Amino acid sequence: MYILGIETSCDETGVAVYHSQQGLIGHLLYSQVKMHSEYGGVVPELASRDHIRKLVPLIKQCLTQSQLQSSDIDGIAYTAGPGLMGALLVGACTARSLAWAWNIPAVATHHMEGHLLAPMLEENAPEFPFVALLISGGHTMLVKVAGVGQYQLLGESLDDAAGEAFDKTAKMLGLGYPGGPELARLAEKGRDRFKFPRPMTDRPGLDFSFSGLKTFTMNTLHKTAQTEQDKADIAYAFQKAVAETLAIKCKRALQQTGLKRLVIAGGVSANSEIRRALQQMTQKQGARLYFPRLEFCTDNGAMIAYAGCQRLLAGQHQDLQIFARPRWPVDELLEV
Ligand code: KG4
Ligand code: ZN
């Protein structure tokens, strides 16, 4: 079964074809980063308009590169949420219309489920059950995953998401958008000079809070001369604090669930200091760490094609309605 995957929840237009037996056939991504960087962040209306321009040509290109005709496609998976409403609607309307024209089913797919299952696209895919740490621009969640659609939320951020904290801190340091990778680059030149707090690690529980860390960063910045080296040292301290906080919480989640497999996914899981901290922690715990390849950490069509394929194989899809939900709790999903 060939599944076309469509991702338009934020600032990347992602398209992919996944085959239920052969695996990933092809994938393409168009990033709007350059357009939004002028404004220092995503402008929702511009994002929607650009998805409209790019999506259909990208689908055509992806089919051609995959040496497939539209008649080969057996189902369409589109990101229905969470995300920016206008951006989601572009993907949802396009997917639903193509599915109607091609007389095939379309399935509304959860963006975070896509991230969560992205490591399944790799050769050393994790087996169920596992603990997943989802760290993106909009979410920070610890989830116990028993199977596809069997998600128990263990903890989440009470304020800023990890990626949001990276982006806002980067802005404070005068870096461009998206801030996460820029901050990581600056931190490479940083020294171990400041000690930042590890928020919410002094009390039990698996929730996160990153807004205090942001304020701490701002105060530290105001107290220094703000040379390039000062900024690099602050970036280093911030990144280390986030990485260690995530590692402490993930260790707790593994201990609490008794599981030995940890999956990390979402844009922030591309961060090498975070990967290093989690690798070290899982090794000490006798557990194993799984993550997608770098290009599938951030938003992409392949993860949506994969996640949607699992639901279509189980006979799950919607009728003719166009489905888009800017907010959509992951534990509301149907079991597969
Ligand atoms: O998953 P994603 O592509 O989009 C959302 O679903 O939000 O995640 C984007 C987030 C942004 O906040 C971006 O700054 C962050 O992931 N990010 C990183 C890195 N690469 C992307 N944060 C820290 N270090 C990185 N290397
Ligand atoms: Zn994402």
Side-chain angles (χ1 to χ4, degrees):
M1 190 160 86
Y2 284 106
I3 305 302
L4 175 68
I6 294 177
E7 157 63 39
T8 63
S9 68
C10 190
D11 58 349
E12 331 261 9
T13 317
V15 172
V17 177
Y18 181 84
H19 188 272
S20 48
Q21 267 99 46
Q22 294 160 36
L24 190 62
I25 306 294
H27 64 100
L28 286 172
L29 187 86
Y30 176 79
S31 173
Q32 304 177 349
V33 159
K34 218 171 146 216
M35 178 180 76
H36 296 296
S37 63
E38 254 185 73
Y39 305 91
V42 179
V43 184
E45 183 57 27
L46 292 184
S48 316
R49 290 183 198 190
D50 211 44
H51 286 309
I52 292 174
R53 276 191 290 269
K54 300 297 180 345
L55 182 55
V56 171
L58 212 59
I59 292 172
K60 279 188 183 156
Q61 200 185 337
C62 190
L63 290 179
T64 307
Q65 284 187 4
S66 305
Q67 296 181 325
L68 295 171
Q69 312 281 332
S70 56
S71 56
D72 295 320
I73 301 297
D74 301 293
I76 304 184
Y78 65 93
T79 303
L84 301 170
M85 190 54 167
L88 288 170
L89 276 171
V90 178
C93 292
T94 308
R96 191 54 270 170
S97 309
L98 286 177
W100 183 74
W102 296 347
N103 199 22
I104 54 174
V107 62
T109 305
H110 194 289
H111 183 78
M112 297 314 286
E113 177 172 69
H115 277 306
L116 193 157
L117 296 175
M120 297 300 190
L121 291 161
E122 305 305 337
E123 265 177 25
N124 64 338
E127 280 172 31
F128 298 114
F130 53 77
V131 171
L133 171 71
L134 302 179
I135 35 180
S136 71
H139 296 84
T140 302
M141 293 192 269
L142 265 169
V143 187
K144 183 178 169 188
V145 181
V148 178
Q150 298 177 49
Y151 309 131
Q152 185 195 342
L153 189 65
L154 302 172
E156 62 186 329
S157 179
L158 304 178
D159 41 57
D160 290 355
E164 197 179 353
F166 262 96
D167 294 341
K168 288 178 178 169
T169 305
K171 212 172 212 176
M172 265 185 246
L173 293 170
L175 302 172
Y177 158 87
E182 295 256 335
L183 191 145
R185 224 168 288 131
L186 181 62
E188 279 173 27
K189 297 183 211 139
R191 302 163 306 183
D192 199 358
R193 174 175 156 205
F194 300 109
K195 179 80 179 159
F196 280 30
R198 276 58 176 149
M200 292 183 73
T201 53
D202 55 352
R203 65 192 98 160
L206 295 171
D207 285 333
F208 304 88
S209 163
F210 291 110
S211 74
L213 200 53
K214 214 175 48 191
T215 315
F216 195 92
T217 308
M218 183 133 70
N219 292 340
T220 311
L221 191 63
H222 287 158
K223 279 186 231 154
T224 67
Q226 301 193 11
T227 63
E228 272 315 293
Q229 189 60 54
D230 288 335
K231 289 184 186 172
D233 295 345
I234 289 171
Y236 178 96
F238 170 84
Q239 181 173 265
K240 201 163 177 68
V242 174
E244 281 187 13
T245 303
L246 294 175
I248 292 167
K249 296 284 171 161
C250 287
K251 181 179 163 187
R252 261 185 218 171
L254 290 175
Q255 287 170 339
Q256 188 176 308
T257 56
L259 296 174
K260 292 285 180 198
R261 285 181 284 266
L262 176 67
V263 160
I264 53 164
V268 186
S269 68
N271 185 281
S272 41
E273 176 57 25
I274 291 173
R275 287 186 176 204
R276 197 199 54 74
L278 292 173
Q279 197 87 57
Q280 198 179 37
M281 182 279 290
T282 42
Q283 247 166 26
K284 274 198 196 152
Q285 295 297 307
R288 199 165 156 197
L289 182 66
Y290 299 84
F291 41 79
R293 71 192 86 165
L294 279 181
E295 62 183 326
F296 294 161
C297 284
T298 43
D299 293 349
N300 64 87
M303 65 182 196
I304 300 304
Y306 178 85
C309 181
Q310 307 317 305
R311 293 195 172 271
L312 284 165
L313 284 173
Q316 293 182 14
H317 58 87
Q318 289 78 31
D319 296 327
L320 285 177
Q321 81 263 32
I322 291 164
F323 195 82
R325 282 185 68 175
R327 288 178 185 279
W328 189 3
V330 77
D331 46 7
E332 276 183 19
L333 289 173
L334 290 179
E335 202 174 305
V336 171

